[in-house]
Amino acid sequence: MNDMQVLIEQMVSDISSQAVRLDEVRLHKFLEWLKSHSSKVKTVGQVHVEVAVHGEGSMDDRLKNDLKSWLGTLSMPGLFWEYHLLLNEIAWWRDLDPRTLARILRSEGND
């Protein structure tokens, strides 16, 4: 395994371990954001994250596999940028107060 693969493995581990600690609603909203965001980021192979909360196999394994594929297409500066952005987005969802979350869900028709 080369240095870049080791780095991506560690980043994916950090991101997924933080993401799976979110409650189900916050995790779902983060994954929606991630799917949308990753599809907008220009990458070499146009790989983006497709993970859904429910489905075949472990959500954590699917998230890790999709993140590895997507992050592996990024340049080194892009990789670090996305890593920090994803961790910040997870923290934002984790720290979002319940009233604001409820308002977001109502505005999207998800209550």
Side-chain angles (χ1 to χ4, degrees):
M1 195 179 288
N2 68 33
D3 291 343
M4 183 73 149
Q5 290 172 320
V6 171
L7 178 62
I8 290 171
E9 286 283 337
Q10 183 59 54
M11 289 177 165
V12 166
S13 178
D14 292 347
I15 293 164
S16 66
S17 69
Q18 293 295 317
V20 298
R21 290 184 183 135
L22 295 171
D23 66 49
E24 187 174 346
V25 171
R26 292 167 198 264
L27 176 60
H28 179 74
K29 299 310 292 176
F30 167 71
L31 292 175
E32 282 180 357
W33 172 86
L34 180 57
K35 180 179 178 180
S36 174
H37 172 72
S38 68
S39 70
K40 293 175 185 165
V41 174
K42 300 289 185 222
T43 62
V44 175
Q46 289 302 307
V47 175
H48 60 275
V49 180
E50 288 287 346
V51 171
V53 176
H54 303 290
E56 293 287 318
S58 160
M59 190 284 305
D60 187 44
D61 289 341
R62 289 179 287 140
L63 176 59
K64 285 179 180 177
N65 288 335
D66 283 356
L67 283 172
K68 282 179 203 173
S69 296
W70 179 56
L71 294 175
T73 65
L74 301 174
S75 66
M76 188 63 78
L79 178 62
F80 283 106
W81 174 267
E82 293 299 334
Y83 172 68
H84 289 289
L85 180 64
L86 269 58
L87 290 178
N88 286 334
E89 184 70 16
I90 292 167
W92 187 85
W93 283 107
R94 181 192 62 233
D95 298 340
L96 185 65
D97 69 273
R99 290 178 63 191
T100 304
L101 178 60
R103 232 177 322 170
I104 291 169
L105 295 173
R106 273 194 310 276
S107 74
E108 296 176 348
N110 292 331
D111 42 22

